[in-house]
Amino acid sequence: MTIFDEKIDRLNTASVKWEATKEVFGEADLWPMWVADMDFKPPQAVIEAIQKRADHGVFGYTFIPESTKQAIQAWVLKRHGWSIDPSWLIYCSGVVQAISTAVQAFTEEGDRVLLQSPVYTPFFNMIEQNNRIVVNAPLILENDGYKIDYTRFEDALKSGCKLFLLCNPHNPGGRVWTKEELSRIGELCLKYNCLILSDEIHSDLVYKEYKHIPIASLTNDLSENVITCIAPSKTFNLAGLQASVAIIKNTKLRKQFDETLKRQGYFSLNTFGITAMEAAYRDGEAWLEELIDYLQENKQYALRFLQEHLPEISCVKPEGTYLLWLDCRKLGLSDEKLRTALLQKGKLALEPGSKYGPGGEGFVRMNIACPKDYLMEGLKRLKNALK
Ligand SMILES: Cc1ncc(COP(=O)(O)O)c(C=O)c1O
């Protein structure tokens, strides 16, 4: 037994994952393996830091103290080998807010913004809702995972994109992009004068054989051309506390980004977000190592189960994230039939692949960041739904 085996009742906590399925899927009582949060408590040090702050009892306006900045700086250096300066940090409530802010700060209405589908849905939304144009250079699925089509990528850049939204590690495909891949797309973006927003929210959740590389850490030129987004929310399961960080070395870009945030009327993080973020980055490393081991076991279990019971479904090899991207195309079901089978027969909530744009049709995304017993229940339901 590990701490991650504990089954915590999340009902009556206004949990999106557990209590919003009726609203999102049209059905209550679904087994929830969809939205990306974990059914685990964060490190004890985080809970205690929040409790201590709550006990103080006064919750006035709060700034980001030096100790929080140092905790972030030390974490990025220790975990990812990237030496950053605290003055490069800007704080946002979430990474999606940071993406939208970058779109607003660095592009104009009608400008073209590049992404690689299938990819996290708000990438599309933040471009479109800001009246910019989505330019897609789709990823190619090969046997061992998604690959970049450099010709299409370069053609898209040639068409005049001002900003590229990179997802590293990749949600939903689980790729942890290599140094070679990142260097190549990074150089192309420099060549065509395209800024990069690198969403690295999943960067701490990488399986042991792989290594996350912040694209901004590769060369000096790239460090000046990238806005990197990180957050303790995925790593330590703190999404409800809404704290994230944009790392922007380039002074001019940082100023533009900051001014745009201020125009939105956004000035600082929530007091508890700051407290939790500092404690997590300062004291959460041992917990994270245990978490990754646990996720690795869940992943192996799920892959074995699929091979044995649902061999028609193949899982795109996960290198990072706690999400499995399941290729159901061999079942020959339309997205609608797949959805109905999962919801009606399986009583199982998974993310439909079509949400992730072209290339997502016929896939579903399963979140395995839960106690093993929950995973077993979910897999059983998947089998009942699709057998
Ligand atoms: C790639 C990616 N970016 C951003 C987010 C959400 O970030 P936030 O809650 O900080 O806005 C997620 C959540 O699943 C994600 O997968």
Side-chain angles (χ1 to χ4, degrees):
M1 283 285 278
T2 76
I3 46 170
F4 303 110
D5 288 301
E6 188 189 350
K7 291 183 224 163
I8 302 164
D9 182 359
R10 297 183 63 189
L11 296 178
N12 301 311
T13 63
S15 155
V16 168
K17 187 179 188 179
W18 285 82
E19 298 177 88
T21 59
K22 175 95 181 123
E23 202 174 292
V24 176
F25 294 90
E27 304 256 347
D29 274 341
L30 299 177
W31 194 249
M33 302 183 85
W34 58 296
V35 70
D37 76 21
M38 309 197 265
D39 294 314
F40 306 134
K41 286 184 187 167
Q44 189 55 26
V46 174
I47 297 173
E48 284 168 13
I50 293 171
Q51 282 167 343
K52 188 167 165 221
R53 187 66 190 83
D55 283 343
H56 179 268
V58 180
F59 309 113
Y61 288 115
T62 312
F63 62 85
I64 318 286
E66 287 307 311
S67 52
T68 306
K69 297 178 187 176
Q70 281 158 14
I72 299 165
Q73 179 189 33
W75 181 265
V76 173
L77 182 61
K78 175 119 195 271
R79 298 295 300 182
H80 306 300
W82 184 23
S83 175
I84 58 170
D85 191 277
S87 66
W88 303 353
L89 307 178
I90 307 262
Y91 307 89
C92 293
S93 67
V95 169
V96 174
Q97 185 195 19
I99 294 170
S100 186
T101 303
V103 168
Q104 292 163 13
F106 306 124
T107 68
E108 307 285 335
E109 291 207 2
D111 278 348
R112 299 160 72 77
V113 181
L114 178 59
L115 51 65
Q116 299 167 299
S117 79
V119 76
Y120 182 55
T121 320
F123 277 32
F124 292 91
N125 301 340
M126 292 308 109
I127 299 171
E128 286 165 351
Q129 288 168 14
N130 281 300
N131 301 322
R132 276 64 167 173
I133 295 164
V134 172
V135 178
N136 186 12
L139 297 168
I140 315 168
L141 184 56
E142 290 181 358
N143 291 337
D144 52 348
Y146 283 97
K147 296 278 143 54
I148 295 160
D149 179 340
Y150 295 100
T151 310
R152 278 195 82 164
F153 190 80
E154 184 162 7
D155 285 346
L157 287 171
K158 273 186 202 157
S159 78
C161 297
K162 288 228 180 109
L163 178 67
F164 163 46
L165 305 183
L166 168 67
C167 194
N168 182 32
H170 179 244
N171 170 15
R175 276 301 314 280
V176 177
W177 303 111
T178 62
K179 189 171 173 190
E180 290 66 35
E181 289 167 319
L182 294 170
S183 299
R184 214 163 148 187
I185 52 175
E187 288 307 316
L188 284 169
C189 287
L190 286 171
K191 180 172 167 192
Y192 291 96
N193 245 328
C194 179
L195 287 177
I196 301 171
L197 180 136
S198 187
D199 177 343
E200 302 189 2
I201 196 169
H202 294 278
S203 55
D204 298 316
L205 297 161
V206 164
Y207 293 112
K208 296 249 154 103
E209 316 85 280
Y210 302 94
K211 170 111 189 77
H212 169 74
I213 297 167
I215 188 168
S217 71
L218 284 177
T219 65
N220 197 40
D221 284 347
L222 275 171
S223 73
E224 296 285 346
N225 196 53
V226 178
I227 295 99
T228 305
C229 297
I230 61 164
S233 51
K234 289 277 166 277
T235 313
F236 298 103
N237 206 28
L238 304 173
L241 293 176
Q242 299 192 304
S244 82
V245 182
I247 308 172
I248 313 176
K249 182 182 177 198
N250 183 314
T251 313
K252 186 167 156 248
L253 297 181
R254 193 168 63 246
K255 187 161 175 280
Q256 262 174 283
F257 187 94
D258 197 34
E259 282 169 3
T260 308
L261 262 186
K262 298 220 161 89
R263 259 203 308 282
Q264 295 167 8
Y266 191 79
F267 294 93
S268 189
L269 297 178
N270 177 298
T271 303
F272 289 104
I274 299 170
T275 302
M277 175 154 71
E278 179 174 327
Y281 283 142
R282 198 186 47 225
D283 300 322
E285 191 169 28
W287 178 95
L288 176 63
E289 292 294 338
E290 271 185 64
L291 171 75
I292 292 171
D293 287 342
Y294 194 85
L295 293 175
Q296 186 112 13
E297 279 181 30
N298 270 5
K299 177 186 80 163
Q300 300 302 8
Y301 180 88
L303 295 182
R304 275 198 307 271
F305 183 98
L306 290 171
Q307 240 169 22
E308 196 176 323
H309 299 283
L310 290 161
E312 316 76 26
I313 297 181
S314 53
C315 180
V316 177
K317 192 175 172 198
E319 301 174 350
T321 81
Y322 48 70
L323 308 163
L324 298 186
W325 184 235
L326 304 179
D327 183 350
C328 303
R329 290 175 298 177
K330 285 207 191 110
L331 296 172
L333 298 173
S334 65
D335 280 331
E336 194 43 46
K337 287 226 166 82
L338 186 57
R339 180 190 148 83
T340 311
L342 291 169
L343 296 181
Q344 313 275 317
K345 263 176 88 187
K347 291 277 168 199
L348 177 64
L350 302 180
E351 293 280 6
S354 51
K355 259 182 80 172
Y356 299 81
E361 308 83 0
F363 287 75
V364 288
R365 196 192 75 172
M366 177 183 255
N367 173 351
I368 59 164
C370 56
K372 174 93 162 288
D373 286 351
Y374 288 9
L375 174 66
M376 289 160 80
E377 175 66 26
L379 289 167
K380 199 173 81 193
R381 287 174 186 238
L382 184 69
K383 183 176 160 194
N384 288 346
L386 300 179
K387 258 296 178 208

